[in-house]
Amino acid sequence: MFQTTNPSCASLKSPILPSLCLLNQESAHVTDPNLINDFDSIPAEIISKCLSDYSDWGDLAKLSCVQKSWSTLLHTASQSQGQFSQWELAQALMSGSNGLEPNPSQAFKYLVELSEAEKSVNDCNNTVGEDASNKYEIQILAMKKLAMCYFVGDGTEEDKNSGLMWLKKAAQECNDIDAAHELALIYEYGEHNVDCDVVEACEWFLIAAVKGHTGAMAEYAICCELGCGREQSDEEALEWYVKAANSGHIEANFSVGEAFEEAKGVPQSDGEACMWYYKAAVMGDEDSKKALLRLSDIASIVVPGWSNQLGSILNA
């Protein structure tokens, strides 16, 4: 956010100031009335220009310790610069970067503020396309980061239920497909001390898949194929494998080929199987290379010259 762009500043000697201790740092403030100027009397546009051109978070942190009237400078700057700056400050405080000491508890407070920002959730479904993505990206990122803070106890007490709640808010109320997929994985593998629940995992894979998450499409296809978390169905499995394959999922192409070869949810067809195996092999799928070699006679008919086209790949 804040970058030092003026070379002339390099010649100025930086004052030796105490490190940041957010809030309640009155002991570090200069109290000599001859040294104190009214910060508020400086025109706002000049302050904004100086801060944006010559300062980073560490500089602002040091300034906040100079005198009492500047004690909230860091917070004020983040507020005035918008949600992106609040998000940037929260990350800097969480990791101890950009000239700041690590302060997870303060970072957590900023994440809560961003996640609960007015209209950050309620209007997500009312705005679509690029506008929605730009408008709510920071809030959604904050929600997911907040969930992780609860899962691992970073800046707050560990609380898996609160972590799940914030992920679900991002997934359900803001239509974030990555949050939905993350929930599915948490329930599938029992991450963060959450009880394994294949039914819940399957439902979240479907939610993410319907909204366009390619990996979730393939995962839900597996649930259909194996009857894991839902009723078994070769037909639905094939439907979702095809959707995943058409969305760029490499292994899903192999699964479609396998369905045709083994007549799972579709009439048996080695020729159709070879077409799908070829698509996956071109993208480097090892199982598909082996399948083409096994069905080489059929493959030579439906994909003429396939072995020459895949020569280097087959020998890899």
Side-chain angles (χ1 to χ4, degrees), residues 74-312:
L74 197 67
H75 176 74
T76 301
S78 70
Q79 295 287 324
S80 65
Q81 294 292 325
Q83 291 181 336
F84 179 79
S85 291
Q86 288 179 272
W87 167 246
E88 186 183 61
L89 177 57
Q91 292 186 96
L93 288 168
M94 190 65 73
S95 62
S97 59
N98 296 89
L100 300 179
E101 292 293 324
N103 194 327
S105 61
Q106 187 66 31
F108 178 83
K109 293 178 182 178
Y110 279 111
L111 292 173
V112 171
E113 184 175 341
L114 283 169
S115 299
E116 295 180 341
E118 184 179 0
K119 297 184 180 180
S120 66
V121 173
N122 294 334
D123 290 350
C124 283
N125 292 322
N126 298 328
T127 310
V128 296
E130 186 176 352
D131 288 342
S133 176
N134 293 336
K135 188 173 183 180
Y136 299 112
E137 180 182 3
I138 297 300
Q139 289 91 335
I140 294 171
L141 288 172
M143 288 179 185
K144 292 190 286 188
K145 184 65 176 180
L146 191 60
M148 188 56 60
C149 288
Y150 276 117
F151 284 138
V152 301
D154 203 355
T156 186
E157 291 186 6
E158 189 174 320
D159 184 349
K160 64 181 180 182
N161 292 325
S162 292
L164 291 171
M165 179 197 72
W166 280 108
L167 271 185
K168 289 177 181 179
K169 277 183 175 289
Q172 294 176 320
E173 300 179 24
C174 285
N175 294 315
D176 186 73
I177 60 175
D178 291 325
H181 185 249
E182 181 64 24
L183 281 163
L185 295 176
I186 288 173
Y187 281 113
E188 181 180 17
Y189 296 107
E191 297 175 351
H192 308 302
N193 295 318
V194 174
D195 293 336
C196 287
D197 188 332
V198 293
V199 174
E200 191 80 11
C202 181
E203 291 177 355
W204 282 109
F205 279 133
L206 177 58
I207 290 172
V210 168
K211 293 179 180 179
H213 193 288
T214 301
M217 293 177 189
E219 293 278 4
Y220 185 68
I222 294 174
C223 293
C224 296
E225 181 181 8
L226 302 179
C228 185
R230 53 148 292 154
E231 183 181 356
Q232 197 278 338
S233 172
D234 287 335
E235 291 76 11
E236 287 189 67
L238 179 59
E239 176 186 349
W240 282 105
Y241 278 134
V242 170
K243 288 181 179 181
N246 289 336
S247 295
H249 195 280
I250 298 175
E251 292 81 1
N253 286 274
F254 169 80
S255 296
V256 175
E258 189 177 51
F260 276 103
E261 184 180 3
E262 299 178 3
K264 296 167 63 176
V266 70
Q268 200 281 334
S269 173
D270 286 343
E272 193 71 25
C274 287
M275 294 292 291
W276 286 98
Y277 288 148
Y278 177 76
K279 291 179 182 180
V282 168
M283 293 183 281
D285 184 68
E286 294 296 328
D287 289 331
S288 293
K289 296 177 189 178
K290 295 175 183 177
L292 284 171
L293 290 171
R294 187 179 68 250
L295 300 173
S296 59
D297 291 341
I298 302 297
S300 297
I301 297 173
V302 297
V303 189
W306 69 272
S307 59
N308 291 330
Q309 296 176 44
L310 296 179
S312 61

Side-chain angles (χ1 to χ4, degrees), residues 55-87:
S55 303
D56 62 16
W57 292 118
D59 296 328
L60 296 180
K62 292 175 181 178
L63 283 173
S64 71
C65 299
V66 171
Q67 64 182 55
K68 188 173 182 178
S69 63
W70 297 0
S71 62
T72 60
L73 179 58
L74 197 67
H75 176 74
T76 301
S78 70
Q79 295 287 324
S80 65
Q81 294 292 325
Q83 291 181 336
F84 179 79
S85 291
Q86 288 179 272
W87 167 246

